[in-house]
Amino acid sequence: MKRALTPGTFDPITVGHLDVISRAAQLVDEVVVAVAVSAKKKPLFSLEERVALVEEATRDLPNVRVEPFDELLVDFARRMDAQAVVKGLRAITDFEYEFQMTALNYQLDKELETLFIMSTPQHMYLSSSIVREIASLGGDVSQFVSPCVEEALRRRYAELGKTGR
Ligand code: PNS
């Protein structure tokens, strides 16, 4: 059984993430979307919310499941019996950070392969932080995220607006 992890913070999941997840799902038997706690990033959505949104957004992909994790990626991969990590690579700005993480993960576990899928051109510019910014300013994010995520963003920023945060 070939199993790959697609790790990330997914705050929130975008169509760019979905593109990488669905393309990875065509290459292996099972993809585990690994949703990191990423407490240092102070995510807009809680871990439970992010997992639920990824589950909803990937509902039509039968060989994709979603798991939260709060440990080293290499340890989680071992626990999940995954042989590879698959990540999306956007413009050159991603490269240095991804290069560092790949090199460190390789040092930590030489059995775990990291593979990159190039973003499709229309997703090159897309990021969760850009989506949050557009949504926080009342912009239309429907082309960047699934309807469930669009609704969650609308509700979250309405709540934050009410409390003045
Ligand atoms: O979507 P992000 O925030 O860019 O994802 C980063 C993530 C979650 C993939 C990365 O921070 C990670 O792998 N965290 C788990 C902890 C870990 O293994 N850190 C060492 C990486 S060298």
Side-chain angles (χ1 to χ4, degrees):
M1 172 107 170
K2 292 236 178 304
R3 185 177 288 119
L5 297 186
T6 54
T9 303
F10 302 104
D11 187 38
I13 185 166
T14 68
V15 293
H17 292 128
L18 284 171
D19 179 46
V20 172
I21 293 165
S22 58
R23 287 160 70 194
Q26 288 172 8
L27 302 173
V28 294
D29 299 308
E30 185 177 61
V31 168
V32 177
V33 183
V35 183
V37 172
S38 296
K40 270 199 234 156
K41 293 192 172 177
K42 295 196 184 349
L44 176 67
F45 293 104
S46 70
L47 180 64
E48 293 70 25
E49 289 169 328
R50 285 179 280 132
V51 167
L53 289 171
V54 176
E55 276 171 349
E56 176 72 31
T58 58
R59 204 208 280 261
D60 59 345
L61 298 171
N63 60 335
V64 171
R65 69 187 166 100
V66 188
E67 297 285 345
F69 80 107
D70 190 13
E71 62 195 296
L72 277 177
L73 184 64
V74 291
D75 291 339
F76 183 67
R78 220 173 280 142
R79 237 165 24 82
M80 290 289 117
D81 199 19
Q83 301 85 6
V85 170
V86 176
K87 304 195 87 180
L89 203 58
R90 291 168 301 189
I92 44 172
T93 46
D94 271 350
F95 187 76
E96 197 161 338
Y97 172 65
E98 295 296 347
F99 185 77
Q100 183 186 22
M101 278 206 290
T102 302
L104 287 168
N105 283 333
Y106 183 73
Q107 282 299 115
L108 294 171
D109 184 348
K110 294 189 174 46
E111 308 260 287
L112 184 67
E113 239 2 297
T114 301
L115 308 170
F116 289 96
I117 290 182
M118 287 299 291
S119 284
T120 46
Q122 74 263 35
H123 298 136
M124 278 284 173
Y125 57 89
L126 190 55
S127 68
S128 297
S129 57
I130 288 288
V131 165
R132 291 196 304 273
E133 177 159 343
I134 296 170
S136 73
L137 296 169
D140 177 8
V141 291
S142 58
Q143 58 181 312
F144 307 129
V145 295
S146 305
C148 60
V149 174
E150 187 186 0
E151 176 58 19
L153 282 163
R154 200 192 52 71
R155 259 195 269 133
R156 178 55 37 90
Y157 284 116
E159 284 161 16
L160 292 177
K162 268 186 220 139
T163 57
R165 277 193 283 167

